[in-house]
Amino acid sequence: MTDPPVHPAAPTTPAAAATPVADPGPAVAALDTIVSLAKRRGFVFPSSEIYGGINAVWDYGPLGVELKNNVKRAWWRAMVQERDDIVGLDAGILMAPQVWVTSGHVASFSDPLVECGTCRRRYRLDELPGAEGLSVTDQKDPGVVERLGLRCPNDGGPLSPPRRFNLMFKTYMGPVEEDAAVVYLRPETAQGSYVNFKNVQQSSRKKLPFGIAQIGKSFRNEISPGNFVFRMREFEQMEMQYFVRPDDAARIFDEWLPRRWDWYARYGVDSRRLRFREHAPDELAHYAKKAIDVEYRFPFGWKELEGIHNRGDFDLGNHQRASGENLEYFDPATEEHFIPFIIETAGGPDRAAFTFLIDSYREEEVRGEKRVSLALHPDLAPYKVAVLPLLKKRPEIVALCHKIRDDLKTDMMAVYDDTAAIGKLYRRQDEIGTPWCITVDVDSLEDGAVTVRDRDSMTQERVPVEGVKRLITDRLAASRA
Ligand code: ATP
């Protein structure tokens, strides 16, 4: 568990600014430590690996899918289940193409691309060494490559002036591949919430302020994907659109900042590795009036974990104009009709799960041996419990293990493992973050008690078999409180 969260006041300066925190360094020095653990233990695999892989797509293995599902559940609990004012939605990935024209994505959802004249490699300008943090005005300057003396990081070749590259994937709907049938794979879930604003508001009878939460796949043809699951071309988002009165927008924006920070801290991210960073006016996306990111200190620097945006009336206003549908809200208290403003919290379960993995990674020496563990919040851990026999040759011991596991599995992910000696079994469970191990030994057959071992303290206690399920469910509940 980390200390109670401390969230510094978010910056509100006109230029891009981050809350001033001393660099705590990353929780794990080398990204490779996490990438290899993820592959070895079945969290994340490269997609289509037997064919040499496909760039920037990753598959979640047996443990990864549990972790990511738990992250999504934890977000849904905080954003929908525990609130009266936010409801869920699951809109389609494919939408009417007009949506993306109106939203501004067809015209301006693009990144600055430069190409090497010799090796033909392509880069996102602002990710080249020497161009990080380049202002958006500079990114648009055709002479910027020359002015900064930028060269290809691969072969030192000359780079082209930047040109805008649209990040949306296109596909075709219907049997004929013709322009009229072009549709886009959504690059964000948000638009599904905007076009359903009226449907959701009227069917759920919500009054302002209220929100629509969605979790789902999005696609971006990123120019320079990388850093494992940090930047992929196919990924998931967890986005919430909160509809408010225009005069409440600034206050409500400020209220969401600590809430989102606290969510990461509550699930185990050390607050010292979080900071807020405000977007500079020329960095703001085309829809945004104000944007502040929650950033995490990844092994590759401070990077966005989630963005909190004041989108004003840009989205509903434009959709009303383009569709001809009235998207105004009628406030019965004041008898006013108006277009609500939108405060958005935009994060993703891939980046969040990645962060929880990195920040929970522990290496220590125990009795002269290296011990690796993931101190994951119990709610996020892929398995809550492992049931282990001390002697797998004793059928009564194995039978009792299965009985305990059968009792637990209706309520939680519980596994049985007898493929190694007990010390090794503990180490394996530590490495995948299982909070509790239950060991059945010869004495259990006599005294009807088992040993419950705690992942973080490594303490062991004797518990009667009948009390085991209650003990674990109570501890799980306590971890959520
Ligand atoms: P970045 O500046 O990192 O490209 P962004 O500002 O474009 O991100 P948003 O459009 O605000 O990101 O997307 C909201 C969230 O969706 C991000 O905070 C991140 O968690 C997730 N996300 C966006 N793009 C990707 C991606 N390519 N791979 C994984 N997650 C992503």
Side-chain angles (χ1 to χ4, degrees):
M1 284 291 119
T2 50
D3 292 335
V6 187
H7 26 77
T12 47
T13 54
T19 41
V21 286
D23 186 354
V28 176
L31 182 59
D32 215 39
T33 310
I34 299 296
V35 177
S36 68
L37 185 148
K39 168 108 197 268
R40 187 161 31 87
R41 302 311 315 271
F43 282 92
V44 179
F45 307 124
S47 165
S48 322
E49 197 180 9
I50 61 168
Y51 287 99
I54 172 170
N55 200 3
V57 186
W58 295 88
D59 296 342
Y60 285 79
L63 296 184
V65 67
E66 296 298 336
L67 171 65
K68 192 154 78 137
N69 280 342
N70 292 340
V71 168
K72 292 190 273 188
R73 265 186 223 118
W75 185 85
W76 200 262
R77 186 176 317 118
M79 301 298 277
V80 180
Q81 189 180 321
E82 291 177 356
R83 300 187 62 99
D84 300 326
D85 54 350
I86 303 181
V87 289
L89 179 75
D90 184 11
I93 286 171
L94 303 177
M95 303 182 74
Q98 185 59 38
V99 168
W100 304 108
V101 177
T102 307
S103 68
H105 284 80
V106 170
S108 44
F109 190 59
S110 55
D111 278 338
L113 176 144
V114 293
E115 187 174 331
C116 173
T118 49
C119 72
R120 297 272 158 228
R121 285 192 192 203
R122 292 169 166 190
Y123 303 94
R124 196 170 132 176
L125 172 66
D126 55 328
E127 288 185 349
L128 280 174
E132 304 99 338
L134 208 61
S135 77
V136 178
T137 315
D138 274 341
Q139 290 176 23
K140 288 182 183 150
D141 170 10
V144 68
V145 169
E146 217 176 298
R147 183 157 52 80
L148 298 180
L150 302 172
R151 309 291 293 186
C152 173
N154 180 46
D155 65 357
L159 293 170
S160 67
R163 67 180 165 91
R164 302 303 298 184
F165 174 77
N166 195 292
L167 302 182
M168 281 200 295
F169 278 101
K170 283 181 192 168
T171 187
Y172 300 91
M173 195 170 227
V176 187
E177 281 195 18
E178 57 187 18
D179 262 4
V182 162
V183 289
Y184 300 97
L185 300 187
R186 70 177 174 199
E188 61 173 34
T189 63
Q191 297 302 323
S193 299
Y194 306 147
V195 299
N196 278 296
F197 167 69
K198 268 271 141 99
N199 286 336
V200 173
Q201 193 262 321
Q202 287 174 352
S203 60
S204 60
R205 304 184 154 272
K206 289 286 174 205
K207 296 205 168 68
L208 293 194
F210 81 94
I212 302 180
Q214 274 204 84
I215 299 179
K217 283 265 164 118
S218 292
F219 302 81
R220 295 181 187 179
N221 199 2
E222 301 276 4
I223 299 170
S224 30
N227 288 325
F228 197 38
V229 296
F230 178 82
R231 193 181 300 288
M232 298 187 282
R233 293 196 168 116
E234 173 180 345
F235 56 97
E236 281 190 272
Q237 291 189 304
M238 308 188 288
E239 297 194 303
M240 193 280 298
Q241 316 301 321
Y242 202 66
F243 302 90
V244 304
R245 290 183 60 90
D247 42 358
D248 289 339
R251 173 181 57 81
I252 289 178
F253 176 90
D254 288 345
E255 287 171 4
W256 276 104
L257 297 171
R259 263 183 221 141
R260 293 308 307 144
W261 173 299
D262 288 353
W263 185 79
Y264 291 101
R266 174 179 168 190
Y267 284 100
V269 178
D270 189 329
S271 285
R272 287 169 308 170
R273 283 190 280 274
L274 292 173
R275 72 176 191 187
F276 286 124
R277 192 184 72 84
E278 181 163 4
H279 288 211
D282 76 342
E283 182 191 358
L284 286 173
H286 57 273
Y287 54 75
K289 283 190 170 326
K290 183 168 180 175
I292 294 185
D293 292 341
V294 179
E295 291 192 335
Y296 174 69
R297 177 60 166 94
F298 285 94
F300 40 89
W302 288 100
K303 297 280 172 193
E304 171 179 334
L305 199 46
E306 169 156 349
I308 296 145
H309 312 130
N310 179 350
R311 304 180 63 126
D313 60 1
F314 179 89
D315 306 282
L316 291 183
N318 279 354
H319 283 307
Q320 171 166 287
R321 272 188 293 281
S323 67
E325 284 288 323
N326 180 359
L327 298 180
E328 287 182 340
Y329 174 80
F330 175 66
D331 189 337
T334 59
E335 302 208 324
E336 287 168 288
H337 291 267
F338 58 89
I339 298 276
F341 272 30
I342 293 169
I343 307 301
E344 172 187 54
T345 70
D350 304 286
R351 255 181 224 184
F354 185 30
T355 301
F356 292 126
L357 268 183
I358 298 171
D359 220 67
S360 67
Y361 184 86
R362 310 272 183 276
E363 251 180 41
E364 59 189 328
E365 212 176 284
V366 178
R367 287 186 289 278
E369 269 190 57
K370 183 166 107 172
R371 174 182 183 249
V372 171
S373 65
L374 293 181
L376 286 170
H377 187 287
D379 245 1
L380 301 184
Y383 300 145
K384 311 304 172 199
V385 188
V387 187
L388 314 170
L390 197 68
L391 288 174
K392 71 169 174 181
K393 288 197 182 112
R394 291 283 299 267
E396 315 93 282
I397 291 183
V398 173
L400 183 53
C401 282
H402 285 302
K403 184 169 164 288
I404 294 171
R405 194 243 165 187
D406 287 347
D407 189 30
L408 288 165
K409 75 182 182 191
T410 50
D411 284 36
M412 68 192 78
M413 288 299 292
V415 283
Y416 168 79
D417 191 4
D418 67 5
T419 56
I422 193 71
K424 198 159 185 190
L425 293 180
Y426 283 152
R427 279 200 297 284
R428 279 191 201 154
Q429 295 300 327
D430 288 342
E431 207 189 19
I432 60 173
T434 309
W436 300 287
C437 287
I438 297 172
T439 307
V440 179
D441 55 25
V442 181
D443 289 345
S444 309
L445 304 175
E446 300 296 321
D447 65 5
V450 292
T451 301
V452 176
R453 174 189 180 266
D454 182 271
R455 175 196 67 201
D456 299 332
S457 62
M458 288 192 285
T459 50
Q460 307 196 353
E461 60 193 301
R462 241 9 224 180
V463 178
V465 171
E466 319 81 66
V468 164
K469 185 169 182 179
R470 173 116 311 261
L471 180 93
I472 302 288
T473 40
D474 284 354
R475 292 210 174 145
L476 263 178
S479 76
R480 256 177 223 153

